Amino acid sequence: MKETIDQILYSKYKRQIKKEKKIVTIWQVALFLLFIGSWELLSSSRLIDPLLFSSPSKVITLIYTKLGDGSIIGHLSITLFETIIGFLLGTIFGIILASTLWSSKRVANIADPYLVILNAMPKVALGPIIIVALGPGYVSIIMMGAIISVIITALVVYSAFNEVDPNYERVLLSFGASRWQCFKEAVFPATLPTMISTLKVNVGLSWVGVIVGEFLVSKKGLGYLIIYGFQVFDFTLVMSSLVIIAIFAAIMYKLVEKLERWLIKHTVS
Amino acid sequence: MSFLSLEQVSHYYYSPTSYTKALENISFSIADGEFVSIIGPSGCGKSTILSLIARIMEQTEGHIYVDGENINDSSVQIGYMLQQDYLFPWRTIIDNILLGPKINDTISEETHQQIKQLLDDVHLPGTEQQYPDELSGGMRQRIALVRTLITNPNILLLDEPFSALDYVTKLKLENIVSEMIKRYNKTAVLVTHDLGEAISMSDRIILMDAKPGRVAEIFDIPESIRQTEPFYVRRHEEYQQLFDHIWQYVSEDTVGERNHNHEGDN
Ligand SMILES: Nc1ncnc2c1ncn2[C@@H]1O[C@H](COP(=O)(O)OP(=O)(O)OP(=O)(O)O)[C@@H](O)[C@H]1O
Ligand SMILES: [Mg+2]
């Protein structure tokens, strides 16, 4: 008898959760439709300038035709490629830099003011210099995607290294471990969750770096399409590119989130 | 024969704004196979002494010898069980236990058999593939003990290994440890806050003073108590008398009324 009451209460709770979820979804869809609908309406009734703000129907048509002739796939894939590589490089080099700082207190002390300045500096402002140094190609753009996250990754991971309970190292030292062994067996694995959580931040940062990079030099990519559309006054193209960026940035974020969960489950039990 | 000896050891902790004199002129020696307990108020430098013997840090002044050799030149294996278990949460029990052999690159088929034996000894067979957070505090401490013993240390340093346990578990563990130390013939130094534990497990007790940490008194435990298993010592007829005797010194110490004229007694 008692168990059935418990079950009834529990299924009531589950129903409530389901109901709440439904309400949230309905609101989300409604807001989306409202936004698209009013945009379309305002544009077609010329309350806003359709030349500047385009309209959903035009954006969809454009994306559809560009998907059809395949031209957008090229732009999309180059931007995705640059972002992923930039993201990986930024994260990996950030962690390597953090490890170097950890390996020598003196190096860390010497580097400190430079890291503070580099961190405070808006990295995209370095764009022109990077382009001059590496040439106006995708190497520069990948660099921009990487450099934007490398310093902050290094600082976050380095401070996480320092927060690892020194007693884990003491355990290893009592076995006669070297500093490198302490790093490998205690400091690095204890910091994995922090490293994994930087991934999510970095993927967003890399999009910024890459799009700005494409603004500056590229002949290809979504950033280029935005700048090109702006220059030839084709705002439907600008809007279409923005929509595609929004979709793919969200997909990538979700994938990294999945990867994060998987990594946490499989490395830090 | 003195196996491990400290001579005029002092240790300072430095920080940019201040320093702490943790130990002042500590001298004592321990014979091969002897079990010595260190007791004293919190902050008197007990853990510091163990860290120095474990070669985790180097003393500011003085010398530590093992078998007549400077401890840093000696190849003697020293096992140190810290104040908490510090099992690595991301490693399974077996991987935790294998840390020492892994670092010393001595993993063999024999190591695995030994682990099986030791896990049996501490009544935790079959836990190899579990993670530390699946075990209770007392179980974790026993695993930490196995992790310390698997490197076959000649000297075993135990820093309040039983402090976080309920009374019965604690008595049982005292027995297990004491029995294993005798069986494997280890020299052991135990730090504890529990005078009863010190009496029931050791051959000698070193009582320390705080601020700065120094040796206040050394007590020999009578043979009759030493022969008794820890589990039963507390019911031994001589136990209460000895307890009261040492307690006088301990309480004087914590009340802080001692003037340091006991020092020459030993
Ligand atoms: N890493 C450190 N840095 C600075 N001071 C320290 C450090 N470790 C210990 N001390 C100081 O040295 C003294 C002795 O510390 P220690 O940990 O050896 O005491 P203890 O006898 O083990 O105390 P407890 O019984 O509380 O564990 C204390 O005054 C403590 O504040
Ligand atoms: Mg201590």
Side-chain angles (χ1 to χ4, degrees), chain A residues 39-59 62 226 228-240:
Chain A
W39 181 10
E40 182 70 44
L41 240 112
L42 288 170
S43 182
S44 60
S45 64
R46 301 195 156 260
L47 276 169
I48 56 172
D49 189 341
L51 215 56
L52 293 183
F53 293 101
S54 187
S55 75
S57 54
K58 281 197 233 163
V59 168
L62 185 77
I226 291 174
Y228 175 77
F230 173 64
Q231 282 163 351
V232 301
F233 230 73
D234 181 355
F235 281 92
T236 304
L237 183 58
V238 175
M239 290 295 183
S240 307

Side-chain angles (χ1 to χ4, degrees), chain B residues 13 20 22 41-48 83 160 193:
Chain B
Y13 286 104
T20 314
S42 186
C44 70
K46 304 183 293 294
S47 299
T48 306
Q83 213 157 342
E160 298 186 39
H193 273 124

Side-chain angles (χ1 to χ4, degrees), chain A residues 110-201:
Chain A
I110 294 171
D112 184 61
Y114 299 100
L115 289 173
V116 169
I117 293 170
L118 281 176
N119 186 42
M121 180 108 167
K123 258 69 68 183
V124 290
L126 296 172
I129 297 175
I130 292 172
I131 290 158
V132 168
L134 298 176
Y138 64 94
V139 178
S140 292
I141 298 170
I142 289 173
M143 256 330 254
M144 301 252 328
I147 208 167
I148 200 166
S149 57
V150 73
I151 301 293
I152 188 70
T153 304
L155 290 176
V156 169
V157 172
Y158 176 60
S159 86
F161 282 164
N162 284 327
E163 273 159 30
V164 175
D165 190 331
N167 284 304
Y168 289 116
E169 277 175 72
R170 287 160 60 90
V171 169
L172 296 171
L173 284 175
S174 80
F175 291 130
S178 64
R179 198 163 157 76
W180 162 243
Q181 281 173 319
C182 284
F183 182 74
K184 196 168 63 119
E185 304 296 344
V187 176
F188 192 85
T191 318
L192 259 178
T194 309
M195 294 184 207
I196 292 167
S197 69
T198 64
L199 293 179
K200 240 162 52 180
V201 179

Side-chain angles (χ1 to χ4, degrees), chain B residues 108-120 150:
Chain B
S108 66
E109 190 48 44
E110 207 191 320
T111 319
H112 285 275
Q113 274 160 16
Q114 223 179 335
I115 289 175
K116 236 182 155 67
Q117 176 63 46
L118 284 168
L119 283 176
D120 276 343
I150 195 65

